[in-house]
C-alpha cells in the first residue's frame, strides 16, 4: 500500500540506532478450549524471551520429512530456489519446499503448529516464506547477528512486527554443529542498521549477509544485560521465534550436519506493502504472493507413512 508510514526505518544512511519495539509480541491469549494451544505460561515465556522450545515434540515427522527433502534435492536440482554455501557447492538452503511437496504443504498446516501460530498472532496467518536449512558437516558456514524483521521490512515491505517463525529440527542440533544462537529479550528492541540496499541484494545476502547486520557497538549494547543462548535439542524438537529476535549461528565444525525445516507465518492483517527500500519486490520464494489464510489439516497420513 502506497503511503504506509515507515515505523522501523533502516539502511537509510543514518546513524545506527537501537529503539524500543512499537508492536506487541503476543497478540492473543490463552485458549484452553482450542486443541494444541499454548498455555499462558508458554505465552508469557515467548513474550519475555522471544522464543519457545518444545523438546522432542514431533519426532514421528522427522523420518518422512527427511525422505521428502532428499527427494526435493534431486527433483529441484538447478532451480533458483536452491542456494549453496558461499565458498562451496554444498547445498545450503531449499526455499519454498511446500510448493513442491504435498507432505510439507500439509505439515505447514498441522494444527499442532497452526493453532499456536494463530494464538501468538491473534489472527489467521499465511505462509510468507519456507525453507530447509542445511548446515553441511565441516562446511556449513556461520550467519551473522541479524533480525529477520529488519530484512523483511526493508526488502519485502512487511509493515509491522506480527510474524512468527516456526522450525522443526530434522537432526540433533548440538553445541558443535552450528546451532542457532539467540539473544533472549532482544526482540523488544529494533536495531536500525547502516547502509543502502542494492538491487537483488538477496542473491548475495542469502549466502553471506552483509546488510542488516548490526555493528559491534550496537550488539554490545544489546547484549549488555541479556547474554547469548544456544537453541539445541533432539531431532523432532519444535521451535517458535519472534520475527524481531536477534539471532545468528556459528560454523558447523562437527562431522554431522544440522538440518531444519522452517516456516514463516505472517498475520493476514500484516500483509506486505511496497518495500521500504523502494526497490522491486523480491522473488516469490522469499515473499509468497499467495496470502490466503491457511486452513488446518487434521491428518498427514498416509503422506507421512
Amino acid at each position: 500500500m502506497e503511503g504506509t508510514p515507515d515505523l522501523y526505518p533502516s539502511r537509510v544512511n543514518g546513524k545506527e540506532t537501537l529503539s524500543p519495539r512499537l508492536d506487541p509480541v503476543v497478540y492473543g491469549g490463552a485458549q484452553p478450549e482450542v486443541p494444541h494451544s499454548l498455555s499462558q505460561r508458554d505465552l508469557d515465556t515467548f513474550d519475555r524471551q522471544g522464543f519457545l522450545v518444545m523438546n522432542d515434540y514431533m519426532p514421528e515427522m522427522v523420518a518422512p520429512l527427511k525422505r521428502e527433502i532428499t527427494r526435493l534435492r534431486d527433483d529441484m536440482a538447478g532451480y533458483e530456489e536452491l542456494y549453496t554455501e558461499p565458498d562451496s557447492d554444498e547445498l545450503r538452503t531449499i526455499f519454498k519446499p511446500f510448493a513442491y511437496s504435498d507432505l510439507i504443504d500439509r505439515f505447514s498446516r498441522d494444527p499442532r503448529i497452526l493453532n499456536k501460530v494463530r494464538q501468538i498472532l491473534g489472527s489467521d496467518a499465511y505462509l510468507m516464506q519456507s525453507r530447509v536449512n542445511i548446515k553441511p558437516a565441516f562446511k556449513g558456514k556461520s550467519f551473522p547477528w541479524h533480525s529477520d524483521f529488519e530484512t523483511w521490512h526493508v526488502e519485502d515491505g512487511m509493515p509491522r512486527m506480527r510474524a512468527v517463525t516456526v522450525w522443526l529440527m530434522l537432526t540433533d542440533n548440538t553445541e558443535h554443529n552450528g546451532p542457532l544462537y539467540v539473544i533472549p529479550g532482544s526482540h523488544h528492541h529494533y536495531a536500525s542498521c547502516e547502509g543502502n540496499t542494492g538491487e537483488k541484494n538477496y542473491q548475495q545476502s542469502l549466502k553471506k549477509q552483509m546488510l542488516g547486520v548490526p555493528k559491534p557497538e550496537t550488539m554490545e549494547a544489546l547484549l549488555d544485560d541479556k547474554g547469548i543462548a544456544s537453541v539445541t535439542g533432539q531431532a523432532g524438537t519444535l521451535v517458535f521465534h519472534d520475527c524481531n529476535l536477534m539471532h545468528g549461528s556459528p560454523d558447523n565444525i562437527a562431522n554431522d550436519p544440522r538440518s531444519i525445516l522452517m516456516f514463516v507465518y505472517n498475520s493476514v492483517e500484516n500483509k506486505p506493502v511496497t518495500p521500504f527500500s523502494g526497490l522491486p519486490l523480491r522473488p516469490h520464494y522469499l515473499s509468497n504472493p499467495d496470502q490466503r489464510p491457511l486452513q488446518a489439516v487434521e491428518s498427514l497420513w498416509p503422506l507421512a507413512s
Side-chain angles (χ1 to χ4, degrees):
M1 183 183 299
E2 296 290 345
T4 301
D6 186 354
L7 300 180
Y8 296 103
S10 189
R11 308 185 209 171
V12 290
N13 274 334
K15 182 180 178 182
E16 190 162 295
T17 59
L18 273 178
S19 57
R21 180 189 183 117
L22 302 176
D23 296 309
V25 177
V26 175
Y27 288 77
Q31 300 173 339
E33 73 284 359
V34 177
H36 313 297
S37 61
L38 296 169
S39 67
Q40 188 60 53
R41 181 177 179 179
D42 290 334
L43 293 171
D44 290 344
T45 297
F46 186 80
D47 184 88
R48 181 178 67 257
Q49 293 191 341
F51 69 103
L52 186 67
V53 180
M54 309 187 76
N55 291 301
D56 203 25
Y57 187 66
M58 306 174 90
E60 78 286 357
M61 292 306 305
V62 171
L65 286 169
K66 288 177 75 171
R67 287 194 298 269
E68 187 72 344
I69 290 163
T70 297
R71 180 187 68 79
L72 291 180
R73 291 180 72 146
D74 295 333
D75 291 355
M76 294 177 67
Y79 284 32
E80 64 175 332
E81 289 92 337
L82 272 58
Y83 280 73
T84 56
E85 288 290 334
D87 58 356
S88 74
D89 291 329
E90 291 282 341
L91 184 61
R92 179 183 180 97
T93 307
I94 302 173
F95 281 100
K96 209 173 181 179
F98 67 90
Y100 303 97
S101 165
D102 288 341
L103 173 59
I104 294 175
D105 172 54
R106 291 175 69 83
F107 181 59
S108 72
R109 295 180 282 131
D110 188 311
R112 292 175 293 177
I113 297 175
L114 192 55
N115 287 1
K116 295 175 179 63
V117 166
R118 289 169 171 163
Q119 194 179 7
I120 291 170
L121 300 181
S123 71
D124 280 327
Y126 73 94
L127 197 57
M128 181 194 132
Q129 188 188 108
S130 176
R131 62 169 77 178
V132 179
N133 278 351
I134 302 162
K135 228 177 207 190
F138 300 119
K139 296 181 179 180
K141 295 304 180 183
S142 63
F143 221 79
W145 290 115
H146 65 287
S147 152
D148 290 330
F149 175 76
E150 191 272 349
T151 293
W152 298 337
H153 182 73
V154 173
E155 298 190 36
D156 295 319
M158 180 183 284
R160 309 299 291 262
M161 296 180 184
R162 197 171 179 181
V164 61
T165 297
V166 186
W167 47 283
L168 183 74
M169 296 182 186
L170 298 174
T171 60
D172 292 350
N173 284 217
T174 73
E175 294 288 355
H176 307 118
N177 65 355
L180 191 74
Y181 288 164
V182 300
I183 302 177
S186 59
H187 61 306
H188 292 294
H189 302 275
Y190 178 64
S192 176
C193 299
E194 290 186 350
N196 285 301
T197 311
E199 195 164 347
K200 296 186 178 180
N201 173 63
Y202 61 89
Q203 292 180 340
Q204 177 199 308
S205 68
L206 295 173
K207 285 174 170 280
K208 185 176 182 180
Q209 185 163 350
M210 305 293 287
L211 293 174
V213 177
K215 299 193 311 189
E217 48 266 42
T218 302
M219 292 305 304
E220 189 71 36
L222 201 55
L223 282 162
D224 185 46
D225 61 349
K226 295 179 176 64
I228 297 171
S230 56
V231 183
T232 59
Q234 294 176 288
T237 293
L238 192 69
V239 181
F240 291 71
H241 79 248
D242 179 79
C243 62
N244 189 47
L245 184 69
M246 194 65 69
H247 62 287
S249 64
D251 289 353
N252 182 358
I253 59 173
N255 62 348
D256 57 304
R258 179 185 77 98
S259 297
I260 65 172
L261 172 60
M262 178 184 295
F263 301 116
V264 178
Y265 299 91
N266 190 26
S267 169
V268 296
E269 298 175 12
N270 190 43
K271 293 178 179 179
V273 296
T274 301
F276 291 97
S277 64
L279 294 172
L281 294 171
R282 297 202 298 172
H284 62 94
Y285 57 87
L286 298 180
S287 186
N288 186 10
D290 185 352
Q291 299 168 354
R292 291 174 294 178
L294 294 173
Q295 303 300 318
V297 296
E298 292 302 323
S299 176
L300 301 177
W301 311 97
L303 286 173
S305 61

